Structure formats: structure tokens, C-alpha cells
Amino acid sequence: MASTTSTPTSGGGGARPWRTALLTLRDESVASPSPSALLALLRRLLLSPASPSLVASAAVLSPHEVGSDVVFLAEKAATVAPCAGADDVLPGVCHLIHDVMCKTNTEIDSSGWLALLKFLHELVKCSVEGACVKGLSDRTAALNTLSECMQILRFSSKDLGRSSSLTENSHVLRVLILIISCLQAELNMTDKSNGPGTSSYIPGSTSSKNSNTWDMKISAFSMVEDILCKIASTISEDLWLSVVELLRKVMDFVTARNLIIESSIISDSESSRYDLGSSDSDLSDTDGHAKNGDRFRSSKARLTAILCIQDICRADPKSLTSLWPLLLPESDVLQQRKYRATLMTCLIFDPVTKVRVEAASTIAAMLEGQALVLTQVAEYKESSKPGSFTTLSCSLGQILMQLHTGVMYLIQRETQATLLAALFRVLIFLISATPTPRAF
């Protein structure tokens, strides 16, 4: 970035190439040319091999001017999407916009992002989907374009941040649905050409031609997850149906081939709940006795299971009430259980801090969702003989006592800041959910 902006008058003539191309496009557009004429204009001004370095030229302009020009370019490109021959121009425009956004400061407002998202939607629908039924070179180029589309979507997510509206997030979600559909079509094509029989996918393997496609799909699903976390309760029914149908197709493909899918990169998901390898010191693995095999395999499996429980609990807390004796200990909370692990054994003994933090968050979610039931039903009695019948109310009372013991034990000894915060949150819910007159 520094080398690009430090010599604004060298090589490409400073800002002139970019401004000349965009001003010419604006002037010609005033006369409302036909889509085919506009398509030829875009090809001549922006995609000709003789064109100067437009990206370097744009880098010396103000962020506001670059953003305005990028939006205008996206609007014009979306207009020509139905034209014959647009399948080579649209990816070229996408590549230009991608490079400009990567190498310059670009300011785009909400309405501008909507125009850019409309262009991406048309691009994926018209150009990339068509390439999926063509030759290998066309499909490879299509995958590169998809990658650039996803990077532009990441720019939009970071730029809009928490201020993004339902409309903006819905547009992003629609583009991601199309991208994942295209990636699935590519996997279907590869599967047919190679023949069935692949029983597993080894991440990072050089012999796996599909690794990049799977990594892109996993990354896209991560972005879908982020959006659904923001707007799941407010999106339209048809958009929900599109998401569910997409998930069904992908799951059918995976299960039919008995595939094991795991991303070979931790890429755009710095805050991903599944990222066990983050360098964030606040969530690092400081226990020296943890072996790599456990850290990245069994610990990851425990984390995934814990997150599933957490999601179920948040969606329907009552569905887990009868399962509390399986998920939480009724006795000996400070003892490791080799064959019958609980959320508390994960919280106390797991070698990976992220697993412990999510275990605490899950326990807090369980307590929060069932606070009223616990205060009305749970009661504590001295442990009965092993094997004797115990009512659910007594089981819940014993569980609450064990939670108090385990949480207080950890609070007195734990030094990790993030885990301590999670423990105090558990304690707050635990105190509010405990029927003190009956339990103590």
C-alpha cells in the first residue's frame, strides 16, 4: 500500500487513468446506451490489455471518490448482466473492484453496498453458474471469481459492522446462498468425472482436488452463520426456506458419500467458536500436559458437542430438563470421570481453555433457561443408596449443590481472565436459580 501511494506521478500517471476511465463511463452513460453498447464500453475502458494500471491509479484518490466510482461501476455492470458475452466482462469487473478494495481505502455508504451486492448477485447467477457446466479452465476461473466475491462480502461485513440493516444482511445472505450452490455444483461435477467411491476427505492433502472448494464452502457457511446470528428471527420465510434447502442438499451430498469434512485453513473466522488454534493469548492453551492429538481431535469433538447442547438449550430449554442428570454431575463433582464425562468435567479438567469457556457458557444457558423450574421443583436430600430410585426434583437439587461446589472451587483457583468471567456468570445464574430454603 505504501509503495503504491508514494509515487502518484510515476508509471500510470497518478490518478489520471482511473479518472479518465470512470469519467468516460459516466459521460457515455448519460445518453442511456443499450446494454450491449454499455457492455462493449466496459470491456474497452476497463478490461482492455492495453489499459493502464487502474488499481494503482485509484490508490491516490480519496476514499470517498473511490467508493463512489466503485458503486457506479457495479451498477453499470449489473445492468449488462443479461447480455450475451457478459460472462467474461462481469468477472473482470469483479476482479477490478476486488483489487481496488484490497489496495485502497474505500468509503461506501449503505445504499452503495446494496448496489454492490446486487452486482455480486447478478455476477454469481449469470457468470459463475454458467461456468460450472463448461470446461475445467472455465470452472477454475469461476472458483477464483467466487473467492473474490467472498472477499468483497467480508469487506462489506467489516465496513457495515453492527449498523448493517436487515435488508443489507438479507442481500448478503442471498449472495452467499448462490455462492454455496455454485460450489456444490462444482463438487457434483468433479464427483461425476472422478467417479464415486471417495469415502473421506483429508484436509490439506495435495491429492485432494476438492480441498480448495470445500474450504471455500466452509468459509461461506461461517459467514452464513454470522448473518443468521444477527437476523435469524426477522428474515423472510422464503429466505429461511432457501437456507434450509441449501443445507439439505449439502448434507445429502456429504452423507451419501460418507465424507469427513474439515477445513484446512482457521481463514476469515477470527472469532469463530470452533477455532481451537487461535493465537489470542486470552484463550490460549496453557496446560503443558495436553498433547497435540487430544488438543486438536478429542477436544475439538468435545467443543462441537458442547456447542450443540448450547444451541439446543437456547432454542428450547425445556427439551433438556429431563437430561440434566446426564449432562451434569449429581455427586463427586471434583472427580474425573473416565467413562461418563459431564459438562462440569469439561469445565474443570479439559486441557483446552476454549472448551472450558464454552462449557461454562452452556451451563449458564441451562441455568438461565430453567431458573423458574429449578426454584419451583429442585430440592436437596442426602444421597440415597446407589442404584435406588431418585426423583427428578432430588436429582436437580443434587446437581445444583455440585455446581456450587465446582464453580466455587474453580473461582478460588482460576487465573485465566476469560474463564473467570464465564465462571462468575455461571455463579450469578446459579444463585438466582437455587431454591435456597429447600436446597440448603
Side-chain angles (χ1 to χ4, degrees):
M1 182 68 179
S3 60
T4 302
T5 58
S6 61
T7 57
T9 60
S10 64
R16 181 176 298 174
W18 176 269
R19 279 181 171 160
T20 299
L22 269 295
L23 287 175
T24 302
L25 181 61
R26 289 181 184 274
D27 290 342
E28 295 286 343
S29 299
V30 172
S32 300
S34 65
S36 58
L38 184 57
L39 179 67
L41 186 63
L42 286 170
R43 185 181 283 113
R44 175 172 61 85
L45 289 176
L46 303 173
L47 307 178
S48 169
S51 298
S53 175
L54 296 176
V55 177
S57 178
V60 303
L61 300 174
S62 70
H64 176 74
E65 182 177 352
V66 175
S68 176
D69 287 342
V70 164
V71 171
F72 179 77
L73 179 57
E75 290 173 337
K76 298 297 112 177
T79 302
V80 306
C83 296
D87 57 349
D88 68 320
V89 172
L90 268 62
V93 172
C94 176
H95 179 68
L96 177 60
I97 291 176
H98 169 268
D99 284 358
V100 168
M101 297 182 74
C102 282
K103 299 177 182 179
T104 71
N105 292 321
T106 309
E107 289 181 2
I108 301 178
D109 59 18
S110 179
S111 61
W113 276 118
L114 288 176
L116 189 55
L117 291 172
K118 179 181 178 182
F119 161 67
L120 293 179
H121 190 275
E122 293 298 321
L123 165 67
V124 178
K125 183 174 66 175
C126 298
S127 180
V128 182
E129 284 187 338
C132 287
V133 297
K134 296 182 180 179
L136 179 60
S137 61
D138 292 308
R139 285 157 49 199
T140 301
L143 289 176
N144 292 334
T145 301
L146 284 179
S147 178
E148 292 181 344
C149 287
M150 290 174 61
Q151 187 62 45
I152 293 173
L153 292 178
R154 293 187 192 100
F155 289 144
S156 73
S157 176
K158 292 179 180 178
D159 196 15
L160 294 171
R162 295 184 180 274
S163 64
S164 53
S165 67
L166 172 63
T167 301
E168 292 157 353
N169 279 310
S170 297
H171 275 70
V172 174
L173 188 56
R174 292 186 190 278
V175 176
L176 286 170
I177 289 172
L178 271 181
I179 289 175
I180 296 172
S181 297
C182 288
L183 293 171
Q184 185 59 51
E186 169 61 24
L187 290 171
N188 290 337
M189 291 284 292
T190 306
D191 190 59
K192 290 179 181 178
S193 62
N194 292 340
T198 303
S199 61
S200 64
Y201 164 65
I202 304 174
S205 172
T206 56
S207 62
S208 176
K209 297 180 180 179
N210 294 339
S211 60
N212 185 53
T213 307
W214 276 115
D215 284 335
M216 289 174 62
K217 180 183 282 191
I218 292 169
S219 180
F221 269 121
S222 177
M223 296 170 71
V224 169
E225 178 193 13
D226 290 340
I227 293 175
L228 291 179
C229 287
K230 298 176 184 176
I231 65 169
S233 62
T234 53
I235 63 176
S236 62
E237 181 179 356
D238 69 305
L239 194 51
W240 256 125
L241 290 175
S242 297
V243 173
V244 172
E245 179 63 17
L246 180 66
L247 289 170
R248 184 189 66 79
K249 289 180 179 179
V250 173
M251 292 305 297
D252 285 349
F253 180 86
V254 171
T255 55
R257 290 154 183 82
N258 195 27
L259 298 179
I260 302 173
I261 309 302
E262 181 178 324
S263 176
S264 63
I265 54 175
I266 344 192
S267 58
D268 64 318
S269 52
E270 301 95 344
S271 60
S272 171
R273 300 189 299 171
Y274 301 92
D275 176 15
L276 286 174
S278 171
S279 59
D280 184 352
S281 60
D282 198 37
L283 293 178
S284 61
D285 305 332
T286 56
D287 296 316
H289 63 273
K291 297 181 180 179
N292 287 340
D294 180 70
R295 180 174 299 163
F296 294 111
R297 292 191 178 182
S298 61
S299 287
K300 181 172 288 188
R302 288 194 294 275
L303 177 61
T304 303
I306 289 169
L307 290 171
C308 286
I309 297 170
Q310 189 178 130
D311 290 340
I312 293 172
C313 183
R314 295 190 190 282
D316 185 10
K318 294 181 180 179
S319 65
L320 290 179
T321 304
S322 61
L323 300 177
W324 274 49
L326 292 177
L327 299 174
L328 296 167
E330 297 179 61
S331 62
D332 300 324
V333 66
L334 301 182
Q335 298 297 318
Q336 293 197 48
R337 289 167 166 78
K338 186 174 182 180
Y339 299 108
R340 194 181 176 186
T342 67
L343 288 170
M344 281 302 292
T345 58
C346 292
L347 175 57
I348 298 173
F349 301 111
D350 200 279
V352 177
T353 304
K354 288 187 179 183
V355 176
R356 301 177 68 199
V357 170
E358 290 299 341
S361 298
T362 302
I363 294 171
M366 293 172 67
L367 291 168
E368 182 181 17
Q370 290 292 281
L372 182 60
V373 173
L374 292 169
T375 54
Q376 293 178 344
V377 174
E379 59 179 346
Y380 178 73
K381 294 182 179 179
E382 292 296 330
S383 300
S384 55
K385 295 180 180 180
S388 62
F389 175 76
T390 303
T391 63
L392 179 61
S393 60
C394 289
S395 293
L396 293 176
Q398 291 168 0
I399 287 171
L400 289 176
M401 289 292 290
Q402 294 300 312
L403 290 180
H404 275 281
T405 300
V407 170
M408 292 305 299
Y409 171 86
L410 288 174
I411 287 177
Q412 293 170 16
R413 291 163 174 80
E414 188 57 54
T415 59
Q416 211 282 331
T418 302
L419 183 54
L420 264 176
L423 288 170
F424 278 112
R425 186 166 183 267
V426 172
L427 183 61
I428 291 172
F429 286 122
L430 187 58
I431 292 172
S432 63
T434 301
T436 306
R438 295 200 304 274
F440 293 96

